[in-house]
Amino acid sequence: MQINHLELDAIIFDLGGVILNIDYQLTISAFEKLGFKNFNAQYSKMQQSGLFDNLEKGLITEKEFVSEIKKEIDSASHDDIVTAWNALILDFPPIRLELLQELKKEVNLFLLSNTNEIHLQAFNQILKEEFEQDSLLQNFDKLYLSHEINARKPDAEAFEIILKENDLSADRVLFIDDSPQHIEAAQKLGIHTIHIEGDKTIEDLFAAFLA
């Protein structure tokens, strides 16, 4: 898809794997080291069990999440579990935050992320320590975080909330994500999409804005 051929009112970005570097295997390995057998059967990039859905939809608290995990690995402390859960979070490449700042001058930018209160604290800490930013909001017009809007991708509701609140027509919106199931859900609503996969990055897509 040629981005410059689209007439856009907004771009919706995913976070993990698009702006923030992550590695699901690090969290899977961390929990297995704590004694949680077959953790990858319950949590991965493509799918997850109800416990993780509930955390990402804001239906349970950090304390409740940790309590449920401890049923599988009772010897692990609260901090052990939080550390393992955050293991997947790597870094924000500075060039991507720079890109967002440039794009924001031209078009409305929104973030739609399946995340949770534990990960939010972790990546906000990275932003503060490395970029002196209190929140990702400095790079977007508005953040739509699953645990705050009580909806997560690929549910149509997650996208519809953004379209309705900002009076956007789906055919004038571009959605960028690294998960095929999320891309498919957006396409069904008539939203333009770009799937970030392989070695593709958003800095490659928007190279002209960084020239």
Side-chain angles (χ1 to χ4, degrees):
M1 175 182 292
Q2 295 296 314
I3 297 171
N4 58 348
H5 290 169
L6 297 177
E7 293 186 6
L8 299 175
D9 292 324
I11 302 175
I12 303 172
F13 282 92
D14 175 36
L15 178 59
V18 175
I19 298 169
L20 172 67
N21 284 331
I22 60 173
D23 185 342
Y24 286 90
Q25 188 57 48
L26 293 177
T27 279
I28 293 169
S29 297
F31 273 111
E32 291 178 345
K33 286 179 181 178
L34 290 176
F36 197 124
K37 296 181 180 179
N38 299 318
F39 183 83
N40 62 336
Q42 296 198 43
Y43 182 77
S44 69
K45 177 179 178 178
M46 292 298 297
Q47 61 185 2
Q48 58 193 43
S49 68
L51 174 63
F52 304 100
D53 276 350
N54 288 338
L55 182 66
E56 288 191 342
K57 288 183 178 180
L59 301 179
I60 60 173
T61 64
E62 173 183 331
K63 184 177 180 180
E64 290 169 329
F65 172 73
V66 170
S67 179
E68 287 298 313
I69 294 291
K70 281 182 68 65
K71 291 179 181 179
E72 297 288 338
I73 43 174
D74 185 56
S75 61
S77 69
H78 183 107
D79 287 347
D80 288 337
I81 292 170
V82 168
T83 298
W85 182 234
N86 286 337
L88 61 84
I89 298 174
L90 300 179
D91 65 298
F92 288 98
I95 194 171
R96 294 181 188 165
L97 299 184
E98 177 187 340
L99 171 61
L100 293 174
Q101 291 293 330
E102 293 302 314
L103 287 172
K104 192 178 175 186
K105 298 174 184 176
E106 305 293 332
V107 65
N108 292 318
L109 294 189
F110 301 105
L111 180 75
L112 177 58
S113 175
N114 288 351
T115 190
N116 56 86
E117 60 177 303
I118 304 173
H119 285 168
L120 178 62
Q121 292 173 22
F123 62 70
N124 275 347
Q125 183 176 350
I126 294 172
L127 286 169
K128 192 168 188 65
E129 292 177 353
E130 297 187 9
F131 302 98
E132 297 183 349
Q133 293 188 10
D134 292 325
S135 163
L136 274 170
L137 186 57
Q138 292 177 233
N139 306 283
F140 293 91
D141 291 283
K142 190 167 183 179
L143 308 180
Y144 290 87
L145 308 179
S146 61
H147 69 291
E148 295 181 349
I149 64 174
N150 305 125
R152 67 184 299 278
K153 300 170 292 183
D155 297 343
E157 180 186 6
F159 299 96
E160 290 168 344
I161 287 172
I162 300 178
L163 298 179
K164 183 177 180 180
E165 282 193 4
N166 299 283
D167 194 25
L168 294 168
S169 175
D171 63 358
R172 295 182 65 89
V173 175
L174 173 64
F175 173 60
I176 302 173
D177 197 289
D178 68 325
S179 296
Q181 69 272 27
H182 301 163
I183 291 293
E184 182 180 352
Q187 289 174 342
K188 288 179 179 179
L189 294 173
I191 297 171
H192 298 288
T193 63
I194 294 178
H195 183 202
I196 297 294
E197 56 183 334
D199 295 330
K200 186 188 297 182
T201 66
I202 58 171
E203 48 267 42
D204 296 330
L205 290 175
F206 296 99
F209 285 86
L210 297 168

